[in-house]
Amino acid sequence: MLVKTKAIVLSSLKFQEKSLIVKCFTLSHGLKSYFVRDAFSSRKANQKIAYFQPLTILEIEAVHKNKGTLENFKEIKIASAFHSIHSDIYKSTIVMFISEMLHHSIHEEETNEHLFTFLETALHWLDNHDEIANFHLILLLETTKYLGFYPDISDMDMPFFEMTEGIFTPFHAISSLTEHESNLFKKLIDLKFDNNQKIFHVIERQIVLRILIDYYSFHLDGFKKPKSLDVLKEVFS
């Protein structure tokens, strides 16, 4: 089956000496993994490898056998080149972290056009703005809308956020955030990308990030804490 679609690169893994296994979130078929033979051996190796940096948005033509095996690209090109994401240390660190979070969060080979469009739009926003300190926090929370576990905000006046049910409650349970943590989480829920990026202090931002990672862990089977988390904390400390 020949498929033409946009795809966002989630990860690339070197296979043996010359090849790559690339995991993409595609617009048309959800999660797909591709085998790129001789990625490191041709004259255009640097160009080819550049296609597979974290969260690069591609336009691909690929053969999908849909048998649970690795698929193959026929044609690849950059859908829209980023200007600053891969050259700015703060943005590239954010992108590395987000790509790892998405890699551990998106498991379905099913179309999710709304999630794809949201991620594409958010990445272009990141590429074109400089006040980005809370970008990864907002993106991770908004992504839960498309993964099916966005918090129920109908009782946000309640003091405690209960993590397993994703609701605000009047009582503190074992799986609840503290009142202080719940208030920080409420701040995040009200944030948009264009809001004041200095609303959190560094320590508060780290608390909110830990809350989000724990929240993902509660709601996604087999979720793993990203290895790039320590790098992110170091860069934004």
Side-chain angles (χ1 to χ4, degrees), residues 25-36:
F25 179 52
T26 69
L27 177 60
S28 63
H29 288 79
L31 190 67
K32 284 287 182 183
S33 294
Y34 300 90
F35 182 65
V36 185

Side-chain angles (χ1 to χ4, degrees), residues 113-167:
E113 292 185 7
H114 295 298
L115 175 56
F116 189 98
T117 301
F118 164 70
L119 293 173
E120 182 179 30
T121 303
L123 288 169
H124 284 300
W125 188 94
L126 175 65
D127 193 43
N128 290 298
H129 291 80
D130 295 322
E131 295 296 322
I132 58 167
N134 300 318
F135 174 85
H136 55 302
L137 305 177
I138 299 168
L139 184 139
L140 290 179
L141 180 62
E142 289 295 307
T143 296
T144 65
K145 289 180 180 177
Y146 307 97
L147 296 178
F149 56 98
Y150 188 75
D152 181 346
I153 60 174
S154 56
D155 291 315
M156 267 182 66
D157 56 327
M158 298 296 179
F160 302 106
F161 181 70
E162 201 282 317
M163 298 279 272
T164 57
E165 296 297 325
I167 59 175

Side-chain angles (χ1 to χ4, degrees), residues 19-67:
S19 302
L20 278 175
I21 295 173
V22 180
K23 183 176 284 189
C24 293
F25 179 52
T26 69
L27 177 60
S28 63
H29 288 79
L31 190 67
K32 284 287 182 183
S33 294
Y34 300 90
F35 182 65
V36 185
R37 190 182 303 278
D38 298 332
F40 294 92
S41 60
S42 69
R43 290 181 181 179
K44 294 184 178 180
N46 289 337
Q47 179 183 350
K48 190 179 281 189
I49 294 165
Y51 290 147
F52 306 121
Q53 293 186 75
L55 301 190
T56 300
I57 304 171
L58 303 173
E59 286 185 9
I60 66 170
E61 188 173 312
V63 177
H64 286 181
K65 296 180 181 178
N66 297 317
K67 294 181 179 179

Side-chain angles (χ1 to χ4, degrees), residues 3-237:
V3 173
K4 293 183 179 181
T5 185
K6 283 186 176 181
I8 298 174
V9 176
L10 298 187
S11 67
S12 58
L13 177 67
K14 192 172 183 180
F15 179 75
Q16 296 180 343
E17 288 300 313
K18 299 179 180 180
S19 302
L20 278 175
I21 295 173
V22 180
K23 183 176 284 189
C24 293
F25 179 52
T26 69
L27 177 60
S28 63
H29 288 79
L31 190 67
K32 284 287 182 183
S33 294
Y34 300 90
F35 182 65
V36 185
R37 190 182 303 278
D38 298 332
F40 294 92
S41 60
S42 69
R43 290 181 181 179
K44 294 184 178 180
N46 289 337
Q47 179 183 350
K48 190 179 281 189
I49 294 165
Y51 290 147
F52 306 121
Q53 293 186 75
L55 301 190
T56 300
I57 304 171
L58 303 173
E59 286 185 9
I60 66 170
E61 188 173 312
V63 177
H64 286 181
K65 296 180 181 178
N66 297 317
K67 294 181 179 179
T69 56
L70 296 174
E71 314 290 15
N72 291 284
F73 294 117
K74 286 199 69 176
E75 297 288 340
I76 316 168
K77 65 179 182 179
I78 302 291
S80 45
F82 293 133
H83 305 294
S84 64
I85 280 180
H86 295 304
S87 57
D88 181 293
I89 182 63
Y90 296 101
K91 293 182 181 182
S92 61
T93 302
I94 284 175
V95 159
M96 179 173 63
F97 171 73
I98 290 171
S99 68
E100 198 175 351
M101 286 289 292
L102 294 174
H103 173 81
H104 293 309
S105 303
I106 300 172
H107 304 297
E108 299 299 325
E109 289 193 18
E110 293 179 3
T111 305
N112 192 336
E113 292 185 7
H114 295 298
L115 175 56
F116 189 98
T117 301
F118 164 70
L119 293 173
E120 182 179 30
T121 303
L123 288 169
H124 284 300
W125 188 94
L126 175 65
D127 193 43
N128 290 298
H129 291 80
D130 295 322
E131 295 296 322
I132 58 167
N134 300 318
F135 174 85
H136 55 302
L137 305 177
I138 299 168
L139 184 139
L140 290 179
L141 180 62
E142 289 295 307
T143 296
T144 65
K145 289 180 180 177
Y146 307 97
L147 296 178
F149 56 98
Y150 188 75
D152 181 346
I153 60 174
S154 56
D155 291 315
M156 267 182 66
D157 56 327
M158 298 296 179
F160 302 106
F161 181 70
E162 201 282 317
M163 298 279 272
T164 57
E165 296 297 325
I167 59 175
F168 288 90
T169 67
F171 308 108
H172 187 269
I174 293 175
S175 53
S176 296
L177 301 178
T178 66
E179 191 164 359
H180 174 61
E181 290 169 337
S182 298
N183 285 333
L184 292 177
F185 197 53
K186 290 177 186 179
K187 272 189 182 181
L188 175 63
I189 288 172
D190 288 334
L191 273 187
K192 304 298 179 194
F193 289 131
D194 285 321
N195 289 152
N196 177 13
Q197 293 287 315
K198 297 179 181 177
I199 192 169
F200 294 123
H201 300 301
V202 172
I203 298 301
E204 290 177 332
R205 193 175 295 117
Q206 290 179 357
I207 292 170
V208 173
L209 181 57
R210 175 182 55 76
I211 290 168
L212 283 167
I213 291 173
D214 287 346
Y215 191 53
Y216 270 65
S217 299
F218 272 113
H219 292 273
L220 294 173
D221 290 338
F223 178 80
K224 297 178 182 177
K225 187 172 83 168
K227 295 178 182 177
S228 55
L229 179 59
D230 291 337
V231 180
L232 185 77
K233 287 180 179 178
E234 183 69 26
V235 169
F236 282 93
S237 62

